[in-house]
Amino acid sequence: MKIIDPHLHLFDLTHGEYLWLKDDNPPYWQDKKLIQHNFKENHLCLSGELSLAGFVHIEAGFNNNQPWQELAFHEVNCSSPFSSIAAINLLDSDSQFTLVLNKLLLQRSFKGIRHILDSQALSLLTSPQVLNNIKQLNQLSKQRLSNHKPIIFEVQLPFEDTQACRALHNVISTYPQLTFAINHTGFPPDFVVESTLNKNALATNSIMSSTQNHSTWRQNVISFAQYHNVIIKCSGWEMINRHYNADWLNKCITFVIENFGINKVMLASNFPLCLFSQTTYQAYWQYLLNLPVINALSEDEKSAISADNALYYYFD
């Protein structure tokens, strides 16, 4: 079975900055030391029935002031087929945004951009400067369509943030020449064990809140699935719960496939962060591909979500 992993990160701490990986900077994860190492192409080891046919490198903070350097570095040092999503600052002035875009366009692996939205999603997606830069990105994508796939705007925000999702709807409907890729399944809230319901009022309130958040996530999956130019990547489970279980994954992926359809869904790893929960890159993919929802798919459907869709959207 061929894998084209549409969401992973490679680190070379001797050449890049990676400020977020340093102990003094957020995120302040207790287990951050697990990923404070070099992770290169040769760490993407798959064997047995699995083989890596390509990947999409998502910016990892190599140099956010000159993001084209990260693409150039990996283009020299990687031999496998790969595409790149570059860092960009959506708050840059018009002229600076144009300058960065022009430099990114010179890199052969460039396919799109990411500015991590997360908790700032609402303020960013309603900022006049940000919207002006997205408009510029949309125009560029339209100009390139005769020879290239649309530019991809990687969207990283929690789908339980209702106001931010409303702002995202406005952006998607206003700029149809871009492809919007939802990162990490929109961060579905984890299920809470029902046995804690009767422990105390605090636990009950916590569960009610979690249930509401999960309902909001489901509603937003349904609403964003209606757009022809929105795709979704199923990964990042460890960012929600380091000890996630197969039942939760199975339910999340099932719901996403039911609503987005098989041709707009991609399985991904978020390597090396997946190592917070799985022992190896191989173990992660085996865990994912052994889920009941995946086993129930036809061979063509399995190929679509594990490789073909990524090939279509991220490679010219």
Side-chain angles (χ1 to χ4, degrees):
M1 186 173 185
K2 289 184 178 179
I3 304 293
I4 297 179
D5 190 340
H7 198 110
L8 59 78
H9 315 275
L10 301 177
F11 308 156
D12 191 318
L13 305 184
T14 59
H15 290 89
E17 295 176 348
Y18 308 105
L19 298 179
W20 68 280
L21 282 177
K22 300 185 184 303
D23 288 333
D24 294 340
N25 296 328
Y28 299 111
W29 299 325
Q30 292 183 350
D31 51 0
K32 188 153 73 168
K33 288 192 181 299
L34 288 173
I35 60 168
Q36 291 173 322
H37 307 284
N38 288 344
F39 289 97
K40 301 183 180 182
E41 183 184 20
N42 60 4
H43 289 87
L44 304 174
C45 298
L46 294 178
S47 60
E49 296 181 352
L50 303 180
S51 64
L52 189 67
F55 61 87
V56 179
H57 181 268
I58 308 296
E59 61 87 15
F62 184 93
N63 183 339
N64 286 347
N65 291 321
Q66 298 180 327
W68 56 90
Q69 289 191 2
E70 185 168 29
L71 280 64
F73 178 81
H74 292 301
E75 287 174 11
V76 169
N77 290 282
C78 293
S79 58
S80 299
F82 80 99
S83 293
S84 294
I85 296 297
I88 204 162
N89 187 351
L90 289 172
L91 289 167
D92 275 346
S93 66
D94 293 4
S95 58
Q96 178 65 16
F97 194 81
T98 301
L99 181 139
V100 172
L101 267 182
N102 286 338
K103 287 184 176 291
L104 290 173
L105 288 169
L106 297 176
Q107 305 303 138
R108 58 178 172 78
S109 66
F110 173 73
K111 292 298 180 292
I113 58 92
R114 182 173 80 156
H115 178 138
I116 295 176
L117 303 173
D118 284 354
S119 61
Q120 296 180 307
L122 178 61
S123 62
L124 287 168
L125 294 175
T126 54
S127 159
Q129 184 60 54
V130 169
L131 294 176
N132 200 50
N133 286 335
I134 297 175
K135 179 180 179 181
Q136 184 181 163
L137 196 67
N138 184 73
Q139 291 171 338
L140 176 61
S141 185
K142 184 177 181 180
Q143 293 167 7
R144 285 164 46 92
L145 281 182
S146 59
N147 296 314
H148 301 276
K149 300 285 176 63
I151 291 175
I152 295 175
F153 186 115
E154 297 279 323
V155 178
Q156 184 163 314
L157 60 77
F159 272 11
E160 58 192 277
D161 188 336
T162 301
Q163 289 183 303
C165 285
R166 279 200 204 101
L168 180 58
H169 275 292
N170 291 335
V171 169
I172 293 171
S173 58
T174 304
Y175 304 109
Q177 304 300 332
L178 297 172
T179 294
F180 293 84
I182 306 300
N183 289 189
H184 305 326
T185 333
F187 295 105
D190 202 354
F191 297 115
V192 180
V193 179
E194 292 183 4
S195 61
T196 63
L197 265 173
N198 299 321
K199 285 187 176 180
N200 53 52
L202 182 62
T204 303
N205 291 338
S206 175
I207 287 181
M208 290 175 64
S209 174
S210 178
T211 301
Q212 179 60 46
N213 288 344
H214 196 77
S215 175
T216 302
W217 173 80
R218 290 166 65 93
Q219 291 168 12
N220 280 313
V221 167
I222 293 170
S223 66
F224 285 113
Q226 309 309 310
Y227 294 100
H228 76 278
N229 60 329
V230 176
I231 57 180
I232 191 165
K233 296 187 284 188
C234 295
S235 61
W237 321 106
E238 68 287 338
M239 308 307 295
I240 304 155
N241 183 351
R242 297 289 201 258
H243 306 288
Y244 60 79
N245 62 61
D247 180 57
W248 174 67
L249 251 67
N250 196 67
K251 288 177 179 177
C252 291
I253 295 174
T254 299
F255 190 77
V256 166
I257 291 175
E258 286 174 349
N259 287 279
F260 270 82
I262 205 71
N263 293 323
K264 294 200 296 178
V265 177
M266 287 162 280
L267 302 180
S269 72
N270 201 30
F271 180 85
L273 283 77
C274 62
L275 302 180
F276 285 136
S277 302
Q278 300 292 337
T279 55
T280 64
Y281 189 61
Q282 171 93 14
Y284 172 81
W285 279 105
Q286 288 179 325
Y287 188 92
L288 205 62
L289 295 171
N290 283 330
L291 293 172
V293 62
I294 306 302
N295 284 326
L297 299 176
S298 69
E299 292 305 310
D300 285 347
E301 290 171 331
K302 289 178 185 177
S303 182
I305 64 172
S306 64
D308 297 345
N309 295 342
L311 179 65
Y312 176 79
Y313 286 105
Y314 285 93
F315 291 81
D316 286 325

